[in-house]
Amino acid sequence: MEHNLSGAARPIQRLRKMNTAAEGCTMRDAFGREINYMRLSVTDRCNLRCRYCMPIEGVPPTSHTDILRYEELLRVAQAAVSLGIDRFKVTGGEPLVRRGIVDFIRSLKALPGIKQVTLTTNGLLLPPLLDGLLDAGLDAVNISLDTRDNAQYQAITRSSHTADEVLHAVRLCAGRLPTKVNAVLLSETAAQLVPLARLAEELPVDVRFIERMPLGVTDIAAEPVHREVIGRLRAVWPDLAPVHERRGNGPARYFASSGLRGCIGLIEAVSHAFCASCNRVRLTSTGLLKPCLCYEQGTDLKPLLRGGADDAALRDAIEQAVRGKPAAHCFAERQAVTERKNMNQIGG
């Protein structure tokens, strides 16, 4: 599973400093939206084969030589910071399968101008790395868990791992750093809605239910199960009500109850599009900077990184990608979606 790239397991050397001031810099797209958040994929590989993420046969792994080296990822991040992007989410695949990930996060967090570095993971490899990640300065973690039922977890992930292993990671993180549990809404896990939400009752964590986006090839049909979520949860926590505080960089709508230690979040990219306030771009592990998830278009930064381009050219390419950010996605019109890759290849 690991990317054994040259120098990846050793502390990363300091990059040459860009001759720009990130403080006070703001980058806006053609529609006036401030773009200050980048999802940074470090690998397309994963230790699970979730049914809604990839087909049963899996997908061919990208060659190690085509994956950006850590030094290249840091150079992109440094250029992005100089333009006003100061929040980064480290993703995969499963980012913790890549060797040297703790040192990479330490180096990313140390870049001048970066305000926040967070991580999305399935949690299975997290416990032995947690102390190192905290020492590296990780600001928050999102842990994916779609069910608390072990047999169902194994069926969804096509693995021998259990939900209990993920719950162990959640409990280790809770109280030590801001922690969110991400659950994809599936018709087959409808009975798990309340058990999953109870994690926000048991622990100081937010639980977020995510509407599945129509991307890639899977054997799970998209169903509008989101419509009944809040109603069902209010049957257990009657005072569940919207909160308007910002709890991270994403688009979730949050709800709180006096009976919960954390909040309940809904991310409904299809039915309640948040495009008007979208603040993000995505960098795939192969160097494609994508301004919108549902379109295949993007700006390939790898030729610049490996072709001797200077920092100004790299910044120009990032600005070009942001200028090309569309007004909205088209998930509600499946035939208009041009992105055919699975989420592990795009960056979860």
Side-chain angles (χ1 to χ4, degrees):
M1 292 294 179
E2 297 172 339
H3 287 297
N4 188 11
L5 303 180
S6 174
R10 299 189 298 273
I12 299 162
Q13 300 300 311
R14 183 180 300 274
L15 297 175
R16 62 186 182 279
K17 185 177 180 181
M18 282 190 177
N19 207 10
T20 57
E23 288 299 324
C25 184
T26 299
M27 180 165 53
R28 297 187 182 276
D29 67 8
F31 302 95
R33 295 170 296 195
E34 182 179 356
I35 308 302
N36 61 7
Y37 177 40
M38 180 181 288
R39 295 180 68 92
L40 200 65
S41 175
V42 299
T43 181
D44 65 332
R45 303 187 183 205
C46 188
N47 50 347
L48 298 178
R49 292 290 180 271
C50 294
R51 289 171 53 204
Y52 55 79
C53 185
M54 63 179 74
I56 190 168
E57 67 275 12
V59 294
T62 303
S63 166
H64 287 175
T65 58
D66 289 330
I67 298 291
L68 293 188
R69 297 186 293 271
Y70 280 143
E71 290 79 7
E72 293 169 332
L73 289 166
L74 288 170
R75 189 175 172 210
V76 172
Q78 195 172 43
V81 171
S82 74
L83 294 169
I85 294 176
D86 54 17
R87 296 162 175 84
F88 292 84
K89 172 81 71 182
V90 177
T91 72
E94 168 49 51
L96 299 186
V97 304
R98 182 162 178 179
R99 188 177 302 172
I101 187 65
V102 173
D103 284 331
F104 170 69
I105 288 175
R106 188 187 312 277
S107 297
L108 181 61
K109 179 67 187 225
L111 289 179
I114 286 188
K115 292 182 178 178
Q116 188 182 77
V117 175
T118 61
L119 173 75
T120 288
T121 173
N122 60 37
L124 295 171
L125 301 174
L126 186 54
L129 297 176
L130 181 57
D131 286 343
L133 289 167
L134 289 169
D135 182 69
L138 184 69
D139 291 296
V141 64
N142 293 354
I143 300 176
S144 300
L145 180 65
D146 304 320
T147 176
R148 296 181 69 162
D149 180 271
N150 285 326
Q152 192 173 57
Y153 181 86
Q154 291 175 335
I156 292 172
T157 62
R158 301 191 187 106
S159 76
S160 60
H161 293 288
T162 66
D164 288 343
E165 294 176 66
V166 183
L167 287 167
H168 173 61
V170 172
R171 293 186 179 104
L172 285 178
C173 291
R176 299 187 70 186
L177 80 168
T179 302
K180 296 181 175 71
V181 175
N182 287 345
V184 175
L185 287 165
L186 306 169
S187 57
E188 65 196 78
T189 59
Q192 287 291 305
L193 186 65
V194 171
L196 284 167
R198 285 200 185 278
L199 287 171
E201 181 181 69
E202 301 164 13
L203 300 165
V205 302
D206 291 347
V207 177
R208 308 193 304 176
F209 296 100
I210 302 173
E211 187 177 50
R212 193 172 73 82
M213 292 171 284
L215 289 170
V217 180
T218 74
D219 63 357
I220 293 182
E223 297 185 36
V225 291
H226 63 278
R227 294 174 185 167
E228 59 188 72
V229 169
I230 294 301
R232 289 183 56 195
L233 294 180
R234 281 196 177 123
V236 182
W237 297 282
D239 64 338
L240 199 66
V243 294
H244 302 292
E245 65 178 294
R246 194 161 182 85
R247 301 179 69 84
N249 301 307
R253 296 188 295 135
Y254 285 99
F255 299 79
S257 163
S258 60
L260 298 175
R261 300 171 67 183
C263 287
I264 302 298
L266 290 182
I267 300 178
E268 303 158 291
V270 180
S271 59
H272 291 84
F274 46 85
C275 301
S277 59
C278 185
N279 64 339
R280 68 187 59 191
V281 291
R282 294 170 180 262
L283 184 72
T284 72
S285 59
T286 58
L288 184 67
L289 187 61
K290 289 176 60 65
C292 183
L293 184 60
C294 82
Y295 302 106
E296 66 178 352
Q297 290 87 352
T299 299
D300 191 357
L301 302 183
K302 186 161 57 180
L304 296 175
L305 293 166
R306 298 185 179 178
D310 62 14
D311 293 335
L314 187 57
R315 289 194 297 272
D316 286 346
I318 294 172
E319 289 183 304
Q320 173 191 332
V322 169
R323 283 195 299 271
K325 188 174 175 66
H329 64 60
C330 58
F331 286 135
E333 304 171 54
R334 181 66 186 265
Q335 69 279 4
V337 177
T338 60
E339 181 56 81
R340 294 292 179 261
K341 295 185 180 68
N342 293 290
M343 282 300 293
N344 69 297
Q345 298 167 300
I346 301 169

